[in-house]
Amino acid sequence: NEALNGGGTLFVNKHPQLKVRVCHGNTLTAAVILNEIPKDVKEVFLTGSTSKLGRAIALYLCRRRIRVLMLTSSTERFQKIQKEAPADTQNYLVHVTKYQAAQNCKTWIAGKWITPWEQSWAPSGTHFHQFVVPPILASRRDCTYGDLAAMRLPEDVEGLGSCEYKLERGVVHACHAGGAVHQLEGWTHHEIGPIDVDRIDLVWEAALKHGFRPVFQP
């Protein structure tokens, strides 16, 4: 939790001789969400846009010339993220303060709870991707809803004795899969604090290499 311990930064700073690697796993969470988005999408509407995951998703998409409507009440937080983007892509990040701004956008990414009334602004045929817990209520029959970012474990995994929140057996949250990939790759760095956007594709490819598969197939 970024607000609670800086995404793990607190532990590393307090214990500089730590022998284990701290890994929040959210780089893979971002990768799973981003790889759900169809390649032909030109615009997305993003809530929770200044959170750890929201920031990474926005910066990744704008680099690919996808327009991101970032819903936030904070101009300061929006501008801070916008300044992180390459100069020639900053105009793809658009600050919006109302759900009405997305009434023509059919790709919504929910990083913050969206009420049924707020969902009513989405046009018919919208798909709701999400990284909010608990998941938003599927209140629109004319829209589709994605599940929380998760990955199916490699087929040769045995002896798994636990299930995760609302997930079927053999499926784990993407952040937990991210921790497993970190160990399997033998990476010696800590994955803490803000997500390194440059590592999103690297972590995604590593997960696929080790046999992890996304649950949702666009």
Side-chain angles (χ1 to χ4, degrees):
N1 186 307
E2 197 73 29
L4 185 65
N5 55 51
T9 304
L10 172 69
F11 309 122
V12 175
N13 290 343
K14 190 173 182 179
H15 303 286
Q17 304 304 318
L18 201 61
K19 294 181 180 179
V20 298
R21 302 300 94 184
V22 179
C23 176
H24 55 52
N26 289 136
T27 307
L28 187 55
T29 303
V32 169
I33 295 167
L34 288 163
N35 280 278
E36 289 180 359
I37 300 172
K39 302 302 181 185
D40 60 348
V41 166
K42 301 299 182 184
E43 180 180 76
V44 305
F45 175 61
L46 177 62
T47 74
S49 63
T50 61
S51 65
K52 183 196 309 184
L53 277 162
R55 166 194 163 273
I57 289 169
L59 290 172
Y60 184 99
L61 291 175
C62 81
R63 290 182 181 186
R64 280 151 183 75
R65 304 298 197 272
I66 296 174
R67 192 166 182 257
V68 184
L69 305 177
M70 297 176 63
L71 180 72
T72 176
S73 60
S74 174
T75 301
E76 181 182 356
R77 289 199 298 270
F78 166 77
Q79 291 178 341
K80 182 179 180 182
I81 293 173
Q82 188 181 44
K83 288 177 182 177
E84 288 190 72
D88 61 339
T89 66
Q90 290 182 2
N91 61 311
Y92 286 91
L93 300 180
V94 181
H95 182 203
V96 300
T97 58
K98 298 182 183 297
Y99 287 87
Q100 292 91 315
Q103 56 188 321
N104 295 315
C105 180
K106 290 189 175 183
T107 302
W108 285 38
I109 306 174
K112 185 178 181 181
W113 178 261
I114 304 177
T115 68
W117 181 84
E118 291 163 343
Q119 292 179 40
S120 70
W121 290 102
S124 179
T126 292
H127 182 78
F128 292 88
H129 305 267
Q130 55 184 318
F131 58 94
V132 58
V133 179
I136 61 177
L137 297 174
S139 63
R140 295 279 301 274
R141 293 185 178 182
D142 60 341
C143 297
T144 53
Y145 295 79
D147 295 320
L148 293 176
M151 298 206 82
R152 196 173 301 281
L153 293 169
E155 294 181 0
D156 59 353
V157 170
E158 297 180 352
L160 184 68
S162 65
C163 298
E164 300 199 17
Y165 175 72
K166 284 195 168 185
L167 300 180
E168 60 182 292
R169 188 172 294 279
V171 175
V172 298
H173 289 109
C175 57
H176 293 175
V181 171
H182 197 282
Q183 189 274 333
L184 288 166
E185 283 291 304
W187 289 329
T188 57
H189 68 281
H190 296 289
E191 184 184 321
I192 56 177
I195 294 170
D196 183 348
V197 180
D198 292 329
R199 291 189 62 84
I200 291 175
D201 288 337
L202 174 68
V203 171
W204 174 252
E205 293 299 332
L208 297 182
K209 180 184 71 176
H210 288 289
F212 290 87
R213 291 293 178 267
V215 176
F216 176 79
Q217 299 291 339

Short mmCIF file of all heavy atoms in Angstrom, two decimals, residues 105-144:
data_model
loop_
_atom_site.label_atom_id
_atom_site.label_comp_id
_atom_site.label_asym_id
_atom_site.label_seq_id
_atom_site.Cartn_x
_atom_site.Cartn_y
_atom_site.Cartn_z
N CYS A 105 -16.73 7.41 -24.84
CA CYS A 105 -15.58 6.50 -24.74
C CYS A 105 -16.04 5.12 -24.29
O CYS A 105 -16.69 4.99 -23.25
CB CYS A 105 -14.56 7.07 -23.74
SG CYS A 105 -13.10 6.04 -23.54
N LYS A 106 -15.71 4.08 -25.06
CA LYS A 106 -16.19 2.73 -24.77
C LYS A 106 -15.18 1.86 -24.03
O LYS A 106 -15.43 0.68 -23.81
CB LYS A 106 -16.61 2.03 -26.07
CG LYS A 106 -17.87 2.61 -26.69
CD LYS A 106 -18.36 1.74 -27.84
CE LYS A 106 -19.69 2.26 -28.38
NZ LYS A 106 -20.21 1.38 -29.45
N THR A 107 -14.04 2.44 -23.66
CA THR A 107 -13.05 1.69 -22.88
C THR A 107 -12.82 2.41 -21.57
O THR A 107 -12.18 3.46 -21.53
CB THR A 107 -11.73 1.55 -23.66
OG1 THR A 107 -11.97 0.91 -24.91
CG2 THR A 107 -10.72 0.72 -22.86
N TRP A 108 -13.37 1.86 -20.49
CA TRP A 108 -13.21 2.44 -19.16
C TRP A 108 -12.29 1.55 -18.34
O TRP A 108 -12.39 0.32 -18.39
CB TRP A 108 -14.56 2.54 -18.45
CG TRP A 108 -15.46 3.65 -18.93
CD1 TRP A 108 -15.61 4.07 -20.22
CD2 TRP A 108 -16.35 4.44 -18.13
NE1 TRP A 108 -16.53 5.08 -20.27
CE2 TRP A 108 -17.00 5.33 -19.01
CE3 TRP A 108 -16.65 4.48 -16.77
CZ2 TRP A 108 -17.95 6.26 -18.57
CZ3 TRP A 108 -17.59 5.40 -16.32
CH2 TRP A 108 -18.22 6.29 -17.22
N ILE A 109 -11.36 2.16 -17.62
CA ILE A 109 -10.47 1.43 -16.72
C ILE A 109 -10.73 1.96 -15.32
O ILE A 109 -10.43 3.12 -15.02
CB ILE A 109 -8.99 1.62 -17.10
CG1 ILE A 109 -8.74 1.26 -18.57
CG2 ILE A 109 -8.09 0.76 -16.20
CD1 ILE A 109 -7.33 1.57 -19.05
N ALA A 110 -11.29 1.11 -14.47
CA ALA A 110 -11.71 1.54 -13.15
C ALA A 110 -10.65 1.21 -12.10
O ALA A 110 -10.39 0.05 -11.82
CB ALA A 110 -13.04 0.89 -12.76
N GLY A 111 -10.06 2.26 -11.56
CA GLY A 111 -9.13 2.09 -10.45
C GLY A 111 -9.70 2.66 -9.17
O GLY A 111 -9.04 2.73 -8.15
N LYS A 112 -10.94 3.08 -9.28
CA LYS A 112 -11.68 3.63 -8.14
C LYS A 112 -13.13 3.20 -8.31
O LYS A 112 -13.63 3.08 -9.43
CB LYS A 112 -11.55 5.16 -8.14
CG LYS A 112 -12.17 5.85 -6.95
CD LYS A 112 -11.93 7.36 -7.02
CE LYS A 112 -12.54 8.05 -5.81
NZ LYS A 112 -12.33 9.53 -5.88
N TRP A 113 -13.81 2.96 -7.20
CA TRP A 113 -15.19 2.48 -7.23
C TRP A 113 -16.06 3.40 -8.09
O TRP A 113 -16.00 4.61 -7.99
CB TRP A 113 -15.74 2.41 -5.81
CG TRP A 113 -17.17 1.97 -5.75
CD1 TRP A 113 -18.27 2.76 -5.62
CD2 TRP A 113 -17.66 0.64 -5.84
NE1 TRP A 113 -19.41 2.00 -5.62
CE2 TRP A 113 -19.06 0.69 -5.75
CE3 TRP A 113 -17.02 -0.61 -5.99
CZ2 TRP A 113 -19.86 -0.45 -5.79
CZ3 TRP A 113 -17.82 -1.74 -6.02
CH2 TRP A 113 -19.22 -1.66 -5.93
N ILE A 114 -16.85 2.79 -8.96
CA ILE A 114 -17.77 3.53 -9.83
C ILE A 114 -19.19 3.09 -9.50
O ILE A 114 -19.52 1.90 -9.64
CB ILE A 114 -17.47 3.27 -11.32
CG1 ILE A 114 -16.02 3.59 -11.65
CG2 ILE A 114 -18.40 4.09 -12.21
CD1 ILE A 114 -15.65 3.28 -13.10
N THR A 115 -20.01 4.00 -9.08
CA THR A 115 -21.39 3.67 -8.72
C THR A 115 -22.21 3.38 -9.99
O THR A 115 -21.82 3.77 -11.09
CB THR A 115 -22.06 4.83 -7.97
OG1 THR A 115 -22.22 5.94 -8.88
CG2 THR A 115 -21.23 5.27 -6.77
N PRO A 116 -23.35 2.70 -9.84
CA PRO A 116 -24.22 2.48 -11.00
C PRO A 116 -24.60 3.78 -11.70
O PRO A 116 -24.68 3.82 -12.93
CB PRO A 116 -25.43 1.78 -10.38
CG PRO A 116 -24.86 1.02 -9.22
CD PRO A 116 -23.81 1.94 -8.66
N TRP A 117 -24.84 4.85 -10.94
CA TRP A 117 -25.18 6.13 -11.58
C TRP A 117 -24.01 6.65 -12.40
O TRP A 117 -24.20 7.14 -13.52
CB TRP A 117 -25.56 7.16 -10.52
CG TRP A 117 -25.94 8.49 -11.14
CD1 TRP A 117 -27.16 8.85 -11.64
CD2 TRP A 117 -25.08 9.62 -11.36
NE1 TRP A 117 -27.11 10.13 -12.16
CE2 TRP A 117 -25.85 10.62 -12.01
CE3 TRP A 117 -23.73 9.88 -11.09
CZ2 TRP A 117 -25.31 11.86 -12.37
CZ3 TRP A 117 -23.20 11.10 -11.47
CH2 TRP A 117 -23.98 12.08 -12.09
N GLU A 118 -22.80 6.53 -11.87
CA GLU A 118 -21.62 6.99 -12.61
C GLU A 118 -21.40 6.13 -13.86
O GLU A 118 -21.00 6.64 -14.91
CB GLU A 118 -20.40 6.97 -11.69
CG GLU A 118 -20.46 8.04 -10.61
CD GLU A 118 -19.51 7.79 -9.46
OE1 GLU A 118 -19.01 6.65 -9.31
OE2 GLU A 118 -19.26 8.73 -8.68
N GLN A 119 -21.69 4.84 -13.74
CA GLN A 119 -21.57 3.96 -14.90
C GLN A 119 -22.56 4.33 -16.00
O GLN A 119 -22.34 4.03 -17.18
CB GLN A 119 -21.81 2.51 -14.49
CG GLN A 119 -20.74 1.90 -13.61
CD GLN A 119 -21.06 0.47 -13.23
OE1 GLN A 119 -21.56 -0.30 -14.05
NE2 GLN A 119 -20.81 0.10 -11.99
N SER A 120 -23.65 4.97 -15.62
CA SER A 120 -24.70 5.30 -16.60
C SER A 120 -24.21 6.26 -17.67
O SER A 120 -24.84 6.38 -18.74
CB SER A 120 -25.92 5.90 -15.89
OG SER A 120 -25.63 7.20 -15.39
N TRP A 121 -23.09 6.94 -17.43
CA TRP A 121 -22.54 7.86 -18.42
C TRP A 121 -21.78 7.14 -19.53
O TRP A 121 -21.50 7.73 -20.57
CB TRP A 121 -21.62 8.88 -17.75
CG TRP A 121 -22.37 9.86 -16.91
CD1 TRP A 121 -22.49 9.87 -15.54
CD2 TRP A 121 -23.15 10.98 -17.37
NE1 TRP A 121 -23.28 10.92 -15.13
CE2 TRP A 121 -23.69 11.62 -16.24
CE3 TRP A 121 -23.42 11.50 -18.64
CZ2 TRP A 121 -24.50 12.75 -16.34
CZ3 TRP A 121 -24.23 12.62 -18.74
CH2 TRP A 121 -24.76 13.24 -17.60
N ALA A 122 -21.46 5.87 -19.32
CA ALA A 122 -20.74 5.12 -20.35
C ALA A 122 -21.67 4.79 -21.51
O ALA A 122 -22.84 4.45 -21.29
CB ALA A 122 -20.17 3.84 -19.76
N PRO A 123 -21.20 4.89 -22.74
CA PRO A 123 -22.06 4.54 -23.88
C PRO A 123 -22.31 3.04 -23.93
O PRO A 123 -21.54 2.24 -23.38
CB PRO A 123 -21.24 5.01 -25.08
CG PRO A 123 -19.82 4.98 -24.63
CD PRO A 123 -19.87 5.33 -23.17
N SER A 124 -23.39 2.64 -24.59
CA SER A 124 -23.69 1.23 -24.76
C SER A 124 -22.53 0.53 -25.45
O SER A 124 -21.94 1.06 -26.39
CB SER A 124 -24.97 1.08 -25.58
OG SER A 124 -25.28 -0.29 -25.77
N GLY A 125 -22.19 -0.67 -24.97
CA GLY A 125 -21.08 -1.42 -25.55
C GLY A 125 -19.75 -1.19 -24.87
O GLY A 125 -18.73 -1.74 -25.29
N THR A 126 -19.75 -0.38 -23.81
CA THR A 126 -18.51 -0.11 -23.08
C THR A 126 -18.02 -1.38 -22.38
O THR A 126 -18.80 -2.18 -21.87
CB THR A 126 -18.74 1.00 -22.03
OG1 THR A 126 -18.98 2.23 -22.71
CG2 THR A 126 -17.54 1.15 -21.10
N HIS A 127 -16.70 -1.54 -22.34
CA HIS A 127 -16.10 -2.60 -21.51
C HIS A 127 -15.39 -1.94 -20.33
O HIS A 127 -14.61 -0.99 -20.51
CB HIS A 127 -15.10 -3.45 -22.29
CG HIS A 127 -14.52 -4.56 -21.46
ND1 HIS A 127 -15.21 -5.72 -21.19
CD2 HIS A 127 -13.33 -4.67 -20.82
CE1 HIS A 127 -14.46 -6.51 -20.42
NE2 HIS A 127 -13.31 -5.89 -20.18
N PHE A 128 -15.68 -2.44 -19.13
CA PHE A 128 -15.07 -1.92 -17.91
C PHE A 128 -13.92 -2.83 -17.49
O PHE A 128 -14.13 -3.94 -17.01
CB PHE A 128 -16.10 -1.85 -16.77
CG PHE A 128 -17.18 -0.83 -16.98
CD1 PHE A 128 -18.35 -1.15 -17.65
CD2 PHE A 128 -17.04 0.47 -16.49
CE1 PHE A 128 -19.36 -0.22 -17.84
CE2 PHE A 128 -18.04 1.42 -16.67
CZ PHE A 128 -19.20 1.07 -17.36
N HIS A 129 -12.69 -2.38 -17.70
CA HIS A 129 -11.52 -3.03 -17.10
C HIS A 129 -11.44 -2.51 -15.67
O HIS A 129 -11.93 -1.42 -15.37
CB HIS A 129 -10.25 -2.66 -17.87
CG HIS A 129 -10.32 -2.96 -19.33
ND1 HIS A 129 -9.89 -4.14 -19.89
CD2 HIS A 129 -10.78 -2.21 -20.38
CE1 HIS A 129 -10.07 -4.12 -21.19
NE2 HIS A 129 -10.61 -2.96 -21.52
N GLN A 130 -10.79 -3.25 -14.78
CA GLN A 130 -10.76 -2.73 -13.41
C GLN A 130 -9.60 -3.28 -12.59
O GLN A 130 -9.14 -4.40 -12.79
CB GLN A 130 -12.08 -3.01 -12.70
CG GLN A 130 -12.54 -4.46 -12.67
CD GLN A 130 -13.91 -4.59 -12.02
OE1 GLN A 130 -14.20 -3.98 -10.99
NE2 GLN A 130 -14.77 -5.40 -12.61
N PHE A 131 -9.14 -2.41 -11.66
CA PHE A 131 -8.15 -2.84 -10.66
C PHE A 131 -8.56 -2.31 -9.29
O PHE A 131 -7.73 -1.98 -8.46
CB PHE A 131 -6.73 -2.39 -11.04
CG PHE A 131 -6.53 -0.90 -11.24
CD1 PHE A 131 -6.10 -0.10 -10.20
CD2 PHE A 131 -6.76 -0.31 -12.48
CE1 PHE A 131 -5.89 1.27 -10.38
CE2 PHE A 131 -6.54 1.05 -12.67
CZ PHE A 131 -6.10 1.84 -11.61
N VAL A 132 -9.85 -2.28 -9.05
CA VAL A 132 -10.38 -1.77 -7.80
C VAL A 132 -10.95 -2.93 -6.98
O VAL A 132 -11.55 -3.85 -7.52
CB VAL A 132 -11.48 -0.71 -8.05
CG1 VAL A 132 -12.61 -1.28 -8.88
CG2 VAL A 132 -12.01 -0.14 -6.75
N VAL A 133 -10.69 -2.91 -5.67
CA VAL A 133 -11.18 -3.96 -4.76
C VAL A 133 -12.07 -3.31 -3.70
O VAL A 133 -11.65 -2.35 -3.06
CB VAL A 133 -10.01 -4.69 -4.07
CG1 VAL A 133 -10.53 -5.76 -3.10
CG2 VAL A 133 -9.10 -5.34 -5.11
N PRO A 134 -13.32 -3.80 -3.52
CA PRO A 134 -13.94 -4.90 -4.27
C PRO A 134 -14.32 -4.45 -5.67
O PRO A 134 -14.39 -3.25 -5.94
CB PRO A 134 -15.18 -5.22 -3.43
CG PRO A 134 -15.54 -3.92 -2.77
CD PRO A 134 -14.22 -3.26 -2.46
N PRO A 135 -14.56 -5.42 -6.57
CA PRO A 135 -14.90 -5.06 -7.95
C PRO A 135 -16.18 -4.24 -8.02
O PRO A 135 -17.04 -4.32 -7.14
CB PRO A 135 -15.09 -6.43 -8.63
CG PRO A 135 -14.37 -7.40 -7.76
CD PRO A 135 -14.49 -6.88 -6.37
N ILE A 136 -16.31 -3.44 -9.07
CA ILE A 136 -17.51 -2.63 -9.24
C ILE A 136 -18.70 -3.53 -9.56
O ILE A 136 -18.54 -4.63 -10.09
CB ILE A 136 -17.33 -1.56 -10.33
CG1 ILE A 136 -17.04 -2.22 -11.69
CG2 ILE A 136 -16.21 -0.61 -9.97
CD1 ILE A 136 -16.92 -1.23 -12.84
N LEU A 137 -19.90 -3.05 -9.26
CA LEU A 137 -21.11 -3.81 -9.55
C LEU A 137 -21.42 -3.75 -11.04
O LEU A 137 -21.37 -2.68 -11.65
CB LEU A 137 -22.29 -3.24 -8.76
CG LEU A 137 -22.19 -3.32 -7.24
CD1 LEU A 137 -23.36 -2.58 -6.60
CD2 LEU A 137 -22.15 -4.77 -6.78
N ALA A 138 -21.73 -4.89 -11.61
CA ALA A 138 -22.06 -4.94 -13.04
C ALA A 138 -23.52 -4.52 -13.21
O ALA A 138 -24.43 -5.36 -13.25
CB ALA A 138 -21.83 -6.34 -13.58
N SER A 139 -23.76 -3.24 -13.32
CA SER A 139 -25.13 -2.72 -13.32
C SER A 139 -25.68 -2.49 -14.73
O SER A 139 -26.87 -2.23 -14.88
CB SER A 139 -25.18 -1.41 -12.54
OG SER A 139 -24.37 -0.42 -13.16
N ARG A 140 -24.82 -2.59 -15.75
CA ARG A 140 -25.26 -2.32 -17.12
C ARG A 140 -25.33 -3.61 -17.94
O ARG A 140 -24.31 -4.27 -18.17
CB ARG A 140 -24.27 -1.34 -17.79
CG ARG A 140 -24.22 0.05 -17.19
CD ARG A 140 -25.35 0.91 -17.70
NE ARG A 140 -25.32 1.05 -19.16
CZ ARG A 140 -24.61 1.98 -19.81
NH1 ARG A 140 -23.86 2.86 -19.13
NH2 ARG A 140 -24.65 2.05 -21.13
N ARG A 141 -26.52 -3.95 -18.39
CA ARG A 141 -26.68 -5.15 -19.21
C ARG A 141 -26.15 -4.97 -20.62
O ARG A 141 -25.90 -5.95 -21.33
CB ARG A 141 -28.16 -5.56 -19.25
CG ARG A 141 -28.71 -6.03 -17.91
CD ARG A 141 -30.12 -6.54 -18.05
NE ARG A 141 -30.64 -7.04 -16.79
CZ ARG A 141 -31.84 -7.58 -16.63
NH1 ARG A 141 -32.66 -7.66 -17.67
NH2 ARG A 141 -32.24 -8.01 -15.44
N ASP A 142 -26.01 -3.71 -21.04
CA ASP A 142 -25.53 -3.44 -22.39
C ASP A 142 -24.03 -3.18 -22.43
O ASP A 142 -23.49 -2.72 -23.43
CB ASP A 142 -26.28 -2.24 -22.98
CG ASP A 142 -26.10 -0.97 -22.16
OD1 ASP A 142 -25.72 -1.07 -20.97
OD2 ASP A 142 -26.34 0.13 -22.70
N CYS A 143 -23.35 -3.49 -21.33
CA CYS A 143 -21.89 -3.33 -21.24
C CYS A 143 -21.27 -4.63 -20.74
O CYS A 143 -21.97 -5.53 -20.27
CB CYS A 143 -21.53 -2.18 -20.29
SG CYS A 143 -22.10 -0.55 -20.83
N THR A 144 -19.95 -4.73 -20.82
CA THR A 144 -19.25 -5.91 -20.32
C THR A 144 -18.25 -5.49 -19.25
O THR A 144 -17.79 -4.34 -19.22
CB THR A 144 -18.52 -6.65 -21.46
OG1 THR A 144 -17.67 -5.72 -22.15
CG2 THR A 144 -19.52 -7.25 -22.43
#
